[in-house]
Amino acid sequence: MAGGGIVEGGGTRAHLYEGRTTSFVVIACIVAASGGLIFGYDIGISGGVTSMDDFLVKFFPVVERHKNQSTKDQDYCKYDNQKLTAFTSSLYLAGLVASFGASGVTRRFGRRPSILFGGFSFLIGAALNAAAVNLPMLILGRIMLGVGIGFGNQAVPLYLSEMAPAKLRGGLNIMFQFAINIGILAANLINYGTAKIKPWGWRLSLGLAAVPAALMFVGGLFLPETSNSLIERGHLEKGRALLVKVRGTTNVDAEFEDMVDASKKANEVKHPFRNILKKRNRPQLVMATFIPFFQQLTGINAIMFYAPVLFKTIGFGGDASLYSAVITGAVNALAIFVSIFAVDRLGRRILFLQAGVQMFISQAGLSS
Ligand SMILES: OC[C@H]1O[C@](O)(CO)[C@@H](O)[C@@H]1O
């Protein structure tokens, strides 16, 4: 993970921090929102597109034949096709590989280059997908989107945390997840509409990813680097001057000193990966790796990726499967409102435990 010059909730002098919500903070939120939107959109769009016959006829005729010939009892596995799976999962694989490179770029060159590169890669991916005439073009587009996700997901939440005034940091950070969920829902709704535009509705679905991508890229052009990143890379004066601008006050001493301290501490760690494996850092290591790991391992993305296909496989019609996916997306988007309002009142732990119990019960219910 890039960065290290940030002290969550503010540093030791947090009570002395001053500043208002300047236009920089607002633009940072817009870019963060577009980064989340496009991630969510790319997660939510492929399942619906895959369930459209026009799309299957063009790129996966074998699947289309199999699907339309299959009788009710042969419904199961009618989408079983490695190339089709490659179309969906190439995005996540590319994202995984890109995130390794993205962390180095974000740390060494700053958050802004990663945001710009991510936005650019998203734009290329969306264009390739919308214009695809063959499978390689389609998969290359998904790979470019995945690279965008690798860079965007690395840099955008970090950028948002560093730009946000300490008091708004928690709330603004949730904005990113909020935008992801809205992106998923938007994709489900758009698929529901474009499925009726024959035979090129799928091109519209895939091409509309360019809207948040352009917002992220153009927004990124107007964004400054973060003070934390400048300080971390030794540009103390520039970092201070920027903090004055971003916070809209000249009284930034307390926050600046905290950033310098945090960055010194971060730079003193010579072998971060060796260090994180030491026994005293075990709780942090376990939390930082296992929480997201198990959150992903619940299989949430199998639902998000394949919801329309799953519903179709169990016998729903084309329309019904697409609007069932809209319901899944809407529940997912509504749930984030609950966390936004509850997170500061009830605390992180309660929500975390409640979510675990709820998921356990649902999964036990589903499998029985
Ligand atoms: O809201 C669900 C979505 O949120 C994420 O877990 C990211 O935090 C995605 O992997 C998933 O699709």
Side-chain angles (χ1 to χ4, degrees), residues 203-277:
R203 288 195 190 275
L204 195 57
S205 282
L206 296 178
L208 278 173
V211 176
L215 211 66
M216 180 166 155
F217 182 69
V218 176
L221 290 175
F222 290 98
L223 286 175
E225 193 42 81
T226 67
S227 298
N228 306 64
S229 169
L230 288 169
I231 293 168
E232 216 175 86
R233 289 179 289 136
H235 308 296
L236 297 193
E237 275 321 301
K238 275 194 195 161
R240 191 177 204 292
L242 181 65
L243 196 60
V244 168
K245 267 202 213 163
V246 170
R247 295 286 174 256
T249 168
T250 49
N251 194 1
V252 293
D253 293 348
E255 192 170 359
F256 178 69
E257 291 305 325
D258 270 348
M259 281 183 188
V260 173
D261 286 355
S263 141
K264 262 193 208 140
K265 276 194 197 129
N267 286 337
E268 271 162 20
V269 182
K270 287 288 165 263
H271 303 286
F273 286 106
R274 215 180 292 163
N275 210 43
I276 193 80
L277 293 176

Side-chain angles (χ1 to χ4, degrees), residues 39-40 43-44 92 153 176-178 180-182 184 292 295-296 298 300-305 329 332-333 335-336:
F39 178 35
I43 289 173
Y92 250 39
N153 282 9
F176 187 67
Q177 183 65 37
F178 174 67
I180 295 176
N181 293 8
I182 295 294
I184 296 175
Q295 191 255 6
Q296 291 296 302
T298 56
I300 180 65
N301 283 315
I303 308 283
M304 292 308 172
F305 277 162
N332 186 42
I336 194 88

Side-chain angles (χ1 to χ4, degrees), residues 303-320:
I303 308 283
M304 292 308 172
F305 277 162
Y306 297 111
V309 170
L310 274 170
F311 289 124
K312 243 185 164 171
T313 306
I314 57 171
F316 284 35
D319 239 22

